[in-house]
């Protein structure tokens, strides 16, 4: 199996697992846990799970000291993305916040252009636009849209944080570090950051019941440990831009969970949104083939000068 095929598979796996966040987060919110407490429990549990995984597989925890500052920066980006997205849900509702957060493929593409002079093809830009339109169809309800300026800023910070995380993984020296080890240390520093943040506030709330503990474990394993490892592998194999566009499958997972688990209605808007996102994903997968075929076609129809 080629590296590119593996990259697409890892990217899809990242999206599907990351899309499970509402399934485990909403019950915790309904149980009365604040965002900062949920995030602390999520990442400390994910850190322990990854640590145990590394021990069982007898892998080394050793990292070079020169890599530590890069890992801390990655943790800051990941913390910002997780924190501002949950704050955005509280400030302006999940639908609009989700749509704004999924502008991160645009930030990935723009930052890659500005910082690394990597130009995206017209196929990639088309996929980005289709993905964002699809997410908007899935997330927005009705035609009236009222935006809280502060909420917009908060969620865009989440998008920029996630885009920066993807680019930093793709372009930094830790790119070739084992995915489990890199994710483990990112989670270690993320846990420390949220621990300090809780200490400066009202402290970490105790888990109210055993079912909340189960949701914390599931939240830490599926949409945190698994999704982050597959994200790192996807970025390594197909790059940050294509990985970010595949991320549009995340709200598709959330919609399917809503319909199948919570009994939510499946609307025409959601069907259109899924169709747009799947079209974007197909464009990403067939990017090179489309460009090559268009080049051949243009050469054939271009008038020849005598």
């Amino acid at each position: 199996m080629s590296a590119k095929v593996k990259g697409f598979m890892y990217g899809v796996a990242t999206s599907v697992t990351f899309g499970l966040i509402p399934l485990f987060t909403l019950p915790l919110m309904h149980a009365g846990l604040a965002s900062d407490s949920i995030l602390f429990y999520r990442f400390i549990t994910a850190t322990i799970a990854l640590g145990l995984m590394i021990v069982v597989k007898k892998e080394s925890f050793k990292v070079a000291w020169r890599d530590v500052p890069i890992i801390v920066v990655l943790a800051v980006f990941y913390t910002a993305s997780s924190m501002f997205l949950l704050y955005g849900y509280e400030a302006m509702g999940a639908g609009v916040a989700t749509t704004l957060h999924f502008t991160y493929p645009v930030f990935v593409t723009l930052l890659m252009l500005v910082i690394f002079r990597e130009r995206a093809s017209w196929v990639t830009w088309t996929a980005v636009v289709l993905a964002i339109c699809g997410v908007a169809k899935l997330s927005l309800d009705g035609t009236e849209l009222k935006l809280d300026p502060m909420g917009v800023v908060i969620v865009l910070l989440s998008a920029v944080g996630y885009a920066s995380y993807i680019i930093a993984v793709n372009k930094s020296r830790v790119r070739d570090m084992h995915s489990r080890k890199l994710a483990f240390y990112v989670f270690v520093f993320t846990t420390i950051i949220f621990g300090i943040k809780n200490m400066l506030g009202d402290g970490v709330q105790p888990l109210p019941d055993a079912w909340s503990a189960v949701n914390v474990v599931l939240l830490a394993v599926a949409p945190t440990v698994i999704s982050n490892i597959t994200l790192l592998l996807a970025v390594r194999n197909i790059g940050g831009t294509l990985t970010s566009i595949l991320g549009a499958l995340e709200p598709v997972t959330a919609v399917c969970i809503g319909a199948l688990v919570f009994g939510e209605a499946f609307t025409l808007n959601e069907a259109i949104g899924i169709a747009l996102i799947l079209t974007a994903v197909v464009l990403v997968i067939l990017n090179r083939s489309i460009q090559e075929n268009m080049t051949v076609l243009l050469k054939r129809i271009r008038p020849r000068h005598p």
Side-chain angles (χ1 to χ4, degrees), residues 1-8 10 237-238:
M1 188 182 297
S2 69
K4 195 163 189 179
V5 173
K6 288 182 180 178
F8 286 126
Y10 288 133
N237 283 280
I238 60 175

Side-chain angles (χ1 to χ4, degrees), residues 18 21 80-90 97-98 101 154-155 158:
F18 202 78
I21 285 180
S81 176
S82 303
M83 180 176 66
F84 287 126
L85 181 58
L86 256 64
Y87 290 173
Y89 286 158
E90 294 174 355
T98 300
H101 174 72
I154 289 173
V155 181
S158 169

Side-chain angles (χ1 to χ4, degrees), residues 17 23 121 142 187 215 260 275 295 306:
T17 52
L23 182 61
S121 69
F187 291 162
N215 278 310
L260 298 175
T295 301

Side-chain angles (χ1 to χ4, degrees), residues 11-295:
V12 172
T14 300
S15 300
V16 172
T17 52
F18 202 78
L20 297 174
I21 285 180
L23 182 61
F24 309 123
T25 303
L26 291 178
L28 293 172
M29 287 183 166
H30 293 156
L33 286 176
S35 297
D36 285 344
S37 291
I38 293 173
L39 290 167
F40 176 77
Y41 282 123
R42 174 187 177 188
F43 287 109
I44 194 171
T45 308
T47 302
I48 294 170
L50 264 177
L52 291 174
M53 195 181 300
I54 293 172
V55 170
V56 169
K57 291 184 172 291
K58 298 180 180 179
E59 297 168 353
S60 172
F61 284 92
K62 186 177 180 180
V63 293
W65 280 107
R66 59 182 178 176
D67 291 336
V68 173
I70 300 173
I71 294 173
V72 172
V73 170
L74 288 174
V76 170
F77 288 150
Y78 202 79
T79 299
S81 176
S82 303
M83 180 176 66
F84 287 126
L85 181 58
L86 256 64
Y87 290 173
Y89 286 158
E90 294 174 355
M92 61 193 312
V96 180
T98 300
T99 300
L100 290 175
H101 174 72
F102 279 94
T103 59
Y104 71 79
V106 175
F107 290 110
V108 170
T109 307
L110 290 176
L111 289 172
M112 292 290 283
L113 173 62
V114 172
I115 300 174
F116 300 103
R117 298 291 187 267
E118 291 190 8
R119 294 182 179 276
S121 69
W122 66 270
V123 179
T124 300
W125 277 111
T126 302
V128 168
V129 172
L130 288 175
I132 293 174
C133 290
V135 172
K137 276 289 186 183
L138 290 180
S139 305
L140 301 182
D141 184 20
T143 57
E144 186 178 1
L145 180 61
K146 296 180 181 179
L147 294 179
D148 174 13
M150 184 55 67
V152 171
V153 172
I154 289 173
V155 181
L156 288 181
L157 286 174
S158 169
V160 172
Y162 197 56
S164 301
Y165 178 75
I166 291 174
I167 292 172
V169 168
N170 188 31
K171 293 297 183 179
S172 68
R173 58 176 294 107
V174 299
R175 172 191 172 100
D176 296 324
M177 184 184 295
H178 196 287
S179 56
R180 275 190 292 269
K181 183 191 295 185
L182 179 55
F184 172 77
Y185 281 108
V186 168
F187 291 162
V188 165
F189 288 108
T190 302
T191 301
I192 293 172
I193 292 171
F194 281 119
I196 294 172
K197 194 170 186 303
N198 276 282
M199 286 170 53
L200 295 175
D202 298 327
V204 180
Q205 296 172 274
L207 292 174
D209 49 46
W211 184 241
S212 294
V214 171
N215 278 310
V216 164
V217 172
L218 294 174
L219 176 64
V221 173
T224 309
V225 171
I226 295 175
S227 67
N228 201 270
I229 290 175
T230 53
L231 171 68
L232 297 174
L233 292 170
V235 170
R236 188 175 299 165
N237 283 280
I238 60 175
T241 302
L242 299 185
T243 300
S244 67
I245 297 172
L246 290 175
L249 288 171
E250 294 168 23
V252 174
T253 305
V255 167
C256 292
I257 289 172
L260 298 175
V261 178
F262 297 112
E264 297 176 357
F266 186 77
T267 66
L268 177 61
N269 268 355
E270 289 171 343
I272 294 172
I274 290 175
L276 289 172
I277 290 170
L278 293 179
T279 303
V281 171
V282 170
L283 287 178
V284 168
I285 294 173
L286 301 179
N287 189 347
R288 185 181 295 276
S289 177
I290 292 172
Q291 290 186 72
E292 290 174 352
N293 289 332
M294 285 299 296
T295 301

